Amino acid sequence: MEARAQGRTKGGFIAGVVFFLLVIWGCYRTALDVKGWLTDANRLPMSELLLQGQHQYLQTEELRMAVLDGAELRNFFELDVNELQARLNALPWVAQVSVRKKWPNKIKIYLTEQDVAARWNGNRFVNTRGTVFSAPDRVKTPLLQLSGPDDQAARVLKESRQYESQLAAKGYKLLGVNLTPRHAWELTLDGNIKLFLGRNDIALRLQRFIDAFPVIEPRAQVAYVDLRYDTGMAVGWKKSEEKVHDQHRR
């Protein structure tokens, strides 16, 4: 009697273990089936792209390629939002981007472009925060030409705005600002007139130019005005076409 009872107990235990293993196996198979369903590109495909934010320099094709990354869009669960955001952030004209998935098939992308303020050192740009960046040149409107050491870009931008305002009040148009390696300021006005202002008392020297320039004749022939003096200034004249031609013939 006791032996039979022990046999039934042992048999029940084995049956319980087998049942438990079958349950585990069933759960595992179910998990695999669910994973396969969730990652099946034919199920819940990302089929709608919503692009928000104004942009005039970013091109549709480069945005599309950054989103697709050479492949078709994955389904809702496989799409890596962080990876997509990194690809979009790498585009030169992108300043900020945020990417979200919206159930069941939508990608929402909000982009802001670089807010370009001026050209920098001829082949790059500086944004309104004073950060230098490189990007394909798609700017159609004239921009202020700034130049100087890269680590001084924010300073050059800030000072150029003050000089531009001071000159514009008297009808002068500022075209460019250069900060030399010795931290001296050089301005270019409409008509390609150069102003050499030095390193100190810039606003006062600029005002001296504004006050004196109207009496300089002929103003159209002025090449530069050197204001690096405690008082007064030196004026350089443009070479006439005749002199230039004579020099070429010689």
Side-chain angles (χ1 to χ4, degrees):
M1 293 285 293
E2 184 177 346
R4 284 198 298 271
Q6 288 178 349
R8 284 196 298 271
T9 301
K10 186 175 181 180
F13 174 76
I14 293 173
V17 170
V18 170
F19 177 76
F20 176 75
L21 291 175
L22 288 173
V23 170
I24 294 297
W25 173 252
C27 291
Y28 174 72
R29 290 299 306 172
T30 301
L32 288 179
D33 291 341
V34 170
K35 180 182 179 182
W37 187 87
L38 292 178
T39 57
D40 185 353
N42 294 319
R43 300 178 187 273
L44 301 177
M46 303 302 293
S47 57
E48 188 173 345
L49 174 63
L50 179 60
L51 183 62
Q52 297 176 312
Q54 294 182 347
H55 54 276
Q56 57 179 326
Y57 304 124
L58 287 163
Q59 295 182 343
T60 303
E61 181 61 19
E62 65 183 345
L63 289 171
R64 189 182 73 83
M65 292 304 297
V67 172
L68 294 177
D69 193 29
E72 294 300 321
L73 289 179
R74 299 175 180 176
N75 78 353
F76 186 87
F77 295 98
E78 273 200 317
L79 180 68
D80 189 331
V81 169
N82 293 328
E83 180 184 331
L84 175 54
Q85 186 164 313
R87 290 202 303 271
L88 290 168
N89 262 322
L91 296 176
W93 275 107
V94 170
Q96 290 182 318
V97 61
S98 105
V99 179
R100 292 192 298 117
K101 294 189 289 188
K102 186 175 182 180
W103 178 268
N105 64 342
K106 184 180 294 186
I107 307 172
K108 296 182 71 174
I109 298 174
Y110 185 83
L111 283 168
T112 56
E113 283 186 325
Q114 293 282 4
D115 191 5
V116 61
R119 294 187 184 276
W120 180 255
N121 283 337
N123 59 355
R124 288 180 291 168
F125 299 95
V126 59
N127 63 25
T128 53
R129 298 181 301 280
T131 303
V132 177
F133 67 97
S134 297
D137 191 350
R138 297 167 185 163
V139 182
K140 305 300 182 183
T141 56
L143 291 174
L144 195 61
Q145 302 278 352
L146 305 182
S147 55
D150 282 354
D151 62 351
Q152 296 295 312
R155 179 189 175 196
V156 174
L157 178 63
K158 179 182 177 182
E159 297 297 328
S160 70
R161 287 169 172 164
Q162 295 180 10
Y163 304 151
E164 188 173 31
S165 176
Q166 187 176 353
L167 288 162
K170 295 298 182 179
Y172 298 103
K173 184 177 181 180
L174 181 64
L175 300 183
V177 177
N178 175 48
L179 180 64
T180 71
R182 296 176 64 108
H183 289 231
W185 294 94
E186 300 174 354
L187 276 55
T188 303
L189 305 187
D190 196 17
N192 203 33
I193 299 172
K194 304 287 186 182
L195 303 184
F196 301 115
L197 298 170
R199 292 182 289 181
N200 304 308
D201 301 321
I202 306 304
L204 292 175
R205 292 176 179 180
L206 194 54
Q207 189 61 48
R208 189 193 309 160
F209 163 80
I210 291 171
D211 294 338
F213 192 64
V215 301
I216 298 175
E217 292 293 346
R219 276 177 285 174
Q221 294 302 315
V222 174
Y224 69 84
V225 180
D226 192 342
L227 295 134
R228 294 172 293 183
Y229 302 93
D230 293 334
T231 59
M233 63 187 71
V235 178
W237 305 97
K238 295 176 182 177
K239 295 179 181 179
S240 68
E241 291 186 8
E242 291 183 1
K243 290 182 180 179
V244 172
H245 290 162
D246 286 342
Q247 289 174 356
H248 284 312
R249 281 198 292 269
R250 293 174 188 173

PDB file of all heavy atoms in Angstrom, residues 4-5 31 34 41 72 96 109-110 114 124 131 136-137 140 195 240:
ATOM      1  N   ARG A   4       2.685   1.665  -3.324  1.00  0.00           N
ATOM      2  CA  ARG A   4       1.851   2.177  -4.394  1.00  0.00           C
ATOM      3  C   ARG A   4       1.595   3.666  -4.236  1.00  0.00           C
ATOM      4  O   ARG A   4       1.562   4.423  -5.210  1.00  0.00           O
ATOM      5  CB  ARG A   4       0.515   1.405  -4.422  1.00  0.00           C
ATOM      6  CG  ARG A   4       0.658   0.013  -5.032  1.00  0.00           C
ATOM      7  CD  ARG A   4      -0.706  -0.527  -5.444  1.00  0.00           C
ATOM      8  NE  ARG A   4      -1.585  -0.662  -4.301  1.00  0.00           N
ATOM      9  CZ  ARG A   4      -1.672  -1.748  -3.541  1.00  0.00           C
ATOM     10  NH1 ARG A   4      -0.891  -2.814  -3.800  1.00  0.00           N
ATOM     11  NH2 ARG A   4      -2.498  -1.794  -2.517  1.00  0.00           N
ATOM     12  N   ALA A   5       1.417   4.108  -2.994  1.00  0.00           N
ATOM     13  CA  ALA A   5       1.177   5.531  -2.737  1.00  0.00           C
ATOM     14  C   ALA A   5       2.387   6.356  -3.138  1.00  0.00           C
ATOM     15  O   ALA A   5       2.277   7.428  -3.743  1.00  0.00           O
ATOM     16  CB  ALA A   5       0.852   5.751  -1.252  1.00  0.00           C
ATOM     17  N   ALA A  31       5.643  33.688 -27.522  1.00  0.00           N
ATOM     18  CA  ALA A  31       6.462  34.904 -27.551  1.00  0.00           C
ATOM     19  C   ALA A  31       7.141  35.062 -28.906  1.00  0.00           C
ATOM     20  O   ALA A  31       7.215  36.163 -29.456  1.00  0.00           O
ATOM     21  CB  ALA A  31       7.501  34.862 -26.433  1.00  0.00           C
ATOM     22  N   VAL A  34       4.554  36.169 -31.394  1.00  0.00           N
ATOM     23  CA  VAL A  34       4.198  37.575 -31.192  1.00  0.00           C
ATOM     24  C   VAL A  34       5.300  38.480 -31.718  1.00  0.00           C
ATOM     25  O   VAL A  34       5.050  39.485 -32.397  1.00  0.00           O
ATOM     26  CB  VAL A  34       3.928  37.870 -29.708  1.00  0.00           C
ATOM     27  CG1 VAL A  34       3.797  39.374 -29.469  1.00  0.00           C
ATOM     28  CG2 VAL A  34       2.675  37.150 -29.242  1.00  0.00           C
ATOM     29  N   ALA A  41       7.338  43.312 -41.427  1.00  0.00           N
ATOM     30  CA  ALA A  41       7.221  44.587 -42.143  1.00  0.00           C
ATOM     31  C   ALA A  41       5.866  44.748 -42.808  1.00  0.00           C
ATOM     32  O   ALA A  41       5.451  45.868 -43.130  1.00  0.00           O
ATOM     33  CB  ALA A  41       8.328  44.714 -43.184  1.00  0.00           C
ATOM     34  N   GLU A  72      13.385  50.754 -47.007  1.00  0.00           N
ATOM     35  CA  GLU A  72      11.988  51.078 -46.769  1.00  0.00           C
ATOM     36  C   GLU A  72      11.755  51.271 -45.266  1.00  0.00           C
ATOM     37  O   GLU A  72      12.487  50.743 -44.439  1.00  0.00           O
ATOM     38  CB  GLU A  72      11.090  49.950 -47.287  1.00  0.00           C
ATOM     39  CG  GLU A  72      11.126  49.791 -48.800  1.00  0.00           C
ATOM     40  CD  GLU A  72      10.675  51.053 -49.523  1.00  0.00           C
ATOM     41  OE1 GLU A  72       9.728  51.704 -49.043  1.00  0.00           O
ATOM     42  OE2 GLU A  72      11.279  51.382 -50.560  1.00  0.00           O
ATOM     43  N   GLN A  96      17.592  71.877 -34.949  1.00  0.00           N
ATOM     44  CA  GLN A  96      17.009  70.983 -33.943  1.00  0.00           C
ATOM     45  C   GLN A  96      15.952  70.112 -34.605  1.00  0.00           C
ATOM     46  O   GLN A  96      15.325  70.529 -35.588  1.00  0.00           O
ATOM     47  CB  GLN A  96      16.370  71.776 -32.792  1.00  0.00           C
ATOM     48  CG  GLN A  96      17.375  72.485 -31.893  1.00  0.00           C
ATOM     49  CD  GLN A  96      16.679  73.203 -30.750  1.00  0.00           C
ATOM     50  OE1 GLN A  96      15.644  73.832 -30.938  1.00  0.00           O
ATOM     51  NE2 GLN A  96      17.242  73.110 -29.561  1.00  0.00           N
ATOM     52  N   ILE A 109       7.694  64.394 -37.403  1.00  0.00           N
ATOM     53  CA  ILE A 109       9.015  65.017 -37.329  1.00  0.00           C
ATOM     54  C   ILE A 109       8.827  66.527 -37.270  1.00  0.00           C
ATOM     55  O   ILE A 109       8.151  67.112 -38.126  1.00  0.00           O
ATOM     56  CB  ILE A 109       9.882  64.650 -38.548  1.00  0.00           C
ATOM     57  CG1 ILE A 109      10.117  63.133 -38.588  1.00  0.00           C
ATOM     58  CG2 ILE A 109      11.217  65.392 -38.515  1.00  0.00           C
ATOM     59  CD1 ILE A 109      10.844  62.671 -39.842  1.00  0.00           C
ATOM     60  N   TYR A 110       9.418  67.152 -36.263  1.00  0.00           N
ATOM     61  CA  TYR A 110       9.396  68.605 -36.168  1.00  0.00           C
ATOM     62  C   TYR A 110      10.820  69.115 -36.327  1.00  0.00           C
ATOM     63  O   TYR A 110      11.715  68.757 -35.551  1.00  0.00           O
ATOM     64  CB  TYR A 110       8.811  69.073 -34.842  1.00  0.00           C
ATOM     65  CG  TYR A 110       8.680  70.589 -34.782  1.00  0.00           C
ATOM     66  CD1 TYR A 110       7.571  71.219 -35.341  1.00  0.00           C
ATOM     67  CD2 TYR A 110       9.666  71.366 -34.195  1.00  0.00           C
ATOM     68  CE1 TYR A 110       7.445  72.599 -35.314  1.00  0.00           C
ATOM     69  CE2 TYR A 110       9.562  72.742 -34.171  1.00  0.00           C
ATOM     70  CZ  TYR A 110       8.444  73.358 -34.726  1.00  0.00           C
ATOM     71  OH  TYR A 110       8.337  74.727 -34.712  1.00  0.00           O
ATOM     72  N   GLN A 114      18.763  76.049 -39.276  1.00  0.00           N
ATOM     73  CA  GLN A 114      19.712  77.043 -38.810  1.00  0.00           C
ATOM     74  C   GLN A 114      19.186  78.431 -39.196  1.00  0.00           C
ATOM     75  O   GLN A 114      18.827  78.668 -40.344  1.00  0.00           O
ATOM     76  CB  GLN A 114      21.080  76.822 -39.460  1.00  0.00           C
ATOM     77  CG  GLN A 114      21.785  75.548 -39.042  1.00  0.00           C
ATOM     78  CD  GLN A 114      22.432  75.681 -37.671  1.00  0.00           C
ATOM     79  OE1 GLN A 114      22.308  76.699 -36.990  1.00  0.00           O
ATOM     80  NE2 GLN A 114      23.152  74.647 -37.273  1.00  0.00           N
ATOM     81  N   ARG A 124      31.475  79.682 -45.076  1.00  0.00           N
ATOM     82  CA  ARG A 124      30.610  79.107 -44.047  1.00  0.00           C
ATOM     83  C   ARG A 124      29.594  80.154 -43.603  1.00  0.00           C
ATOM     84  O   ARG A 124      29.522  81.241 -44.149  1.00  0.00           O
ATOM     85  CB  ARG A 124      31.448  78.614 -42.859  1.00  0.00           C
ATOM     86  CG  ARG A 124      32.256  77.361 -43.171  1.00  0.00           C
ATOM     87  CD  ARG A 124      33.073  76.920 -41.964  1.00  0.00           C
ATOM     88  NE  ARG A 124      34.141  77.867 -41.673  1.00  0.00           N
ATOM     89  CZ  ARG A 124      34.854  77.858 -40.550  1.00  0.00           C
ATOM     90  NH1 ARG A 124      34.593  76.968 -39.606  1.00  0.00           N
ATOM     91  NH2 ARG A 124      35.816  78.736 -40.368  1.00  0.00           N
ATOM     92  N   THR A 131      26.984  80.863 -33.663  1.00  0.00           N
ATOM     93  CA  THR A 131      27.624  79.573 -33.895  1.00  0.00           C
ATOM     94  C   THR A 131      27.946  79.414 -35.377  1.00  0.00           C
ATOM     95  O   THR A 131      27.084  79.620 -36.231  1.00  0.00           O
ATOM     96  CB  THR A 131      26.715  78.410 -33.447  1.00  0.00           C
ATOM     97  OG1 THR A 131      26.389  78.577 -32.071  1.00  0.00           O
ATOM     98  CG2 THR A 131      27.407  77.068 -33.640  1.00  0.00           C
ATOM     99  N   PRO A 136      25.504  73.478 -47.442  1.00  0.00           N
ATOM    100  CA  PRO A 136      25.409  73.851 -48.858  1.00  0.00           C
ATOM    101  C   PRO A 136      24.842  75.259 -49.001  1.00  0.00           C
ATOM    102  O   PRO A 136      23.897  75.624 -48.295  1.00  0.00           O
ATOM    103  CB  PRO A 136      24.451  72.798 -49.435  1.00  0.00           C
ATOM    104  CG  PRO A 136      24.561  71.630 -48.506  1.00  0.00           C
ATOM    105  CD  PRO A 136      24.799  72.207 -47.141  1.00  0.00           C
ATOM    106  N   ASP A 137      25.420  76.031 -49.902  1.00  0.00           N
ATOM    107  CA  ASP A 137      25.015  77.426 -50.058  1.00  0.00           C
ATOM    108  C   ASP A 137      23.727  77.509 -50.868  1.00  0.00           C
ATOM    109  O   ASP A 137      23.742  77.440 -52.100  1.00  0.00           O
ATOM    110  CB  ASP A 137      26.133  78.222 -50.735  1.00  0.00           C
ATOM    111  CG  ASP A 137      25.867  79.719 -50.683  1.00  0.00           C
ATOM    112  OD1 ASP A 137      24.749  80.104 -50.291  1.00  0.00           O
ATOM    113  OD2 ASP A 137      26.778  80.496 -51.021  1.00  0.00           O
ATOM    114  N   LYS A 140      19.739  82.808 -51.084  1.00  0.00           N
ATOM    115  CA  LYS A 140      19.575  83.664 -52.252  1.00  0.00           C
ATOM    116  C   LYS A 140      19.671  85.152 -51.911  1.00  0.00           C
ATOM    117  O   LYS A 140      20.015  85.961 -52.759  1.00  0.00           O
ATOM    118  CB  LYS A 140      18.227  83.386 -52.925  1.00  0.00           C
ATOM    119  CG  LYS A 140      18.016  81.922 -53.307  1.00  0.00           C
ATOM    120  CD  LYS A 140      19.082  81.433 -54.271  1.00  0.00           C
ATOM    121  CE  LYS A 140      18.830  79.980 -54.676  1.00  0.00           C
ATOM    122  NZ  LYS A 140      19.903  79.468 -55.557  1.00  0.00           N
ATOM    123  N   LEU A 195      37.041 100.707 -43.952  1.00  0.00           N
ATOM    124  CA  LEU A 195      37.303 101.518 -42.764  1.00  0.00           C
ATOM    125  C   LEU A 195      38.212 100.731 -41.836  1.00  0.00           C
ATOM    126  O   LEU A 195      37.884  99.615 -41.436  1.00  0.00           O
ATOM    127  CB  LEU A 195      36.004 101.854 -42.030  1.00  0.00           C
ATOM    128  CG  LEU A 195      34.896 102.582 -42.801  1.00  0.00           C
ATOM    129  CD1 LEU A 195      33.731 102.914 -41.860  1.00  0.00           C
ATOM    130  CD2 LEU A 195      35.425 103.831 -43.472  1.00  0.00           C
ATOM    131  N   SER A 240      42.476 105.189 -60.748  1.00  0.00           N
ATOM    132  CA  SER A 240      41.610 105.425 -61.900  1.00  0.00           C
ATOM    133  C   SER A 240      41.855 104.362 -62.952  1.00  0.00           C
ATOM    134  O   SER A 240      42.909 103.718 -62.978  1.00  0.00           O
ATOM    135  CB  SER A 240      41.882 106.803 -62.501  1.00  0.00           C
ATOM    136  OG  SER A 240      43.180 106.828 -63.082  1.00  0.00           O
TER     137      SER A 240
END
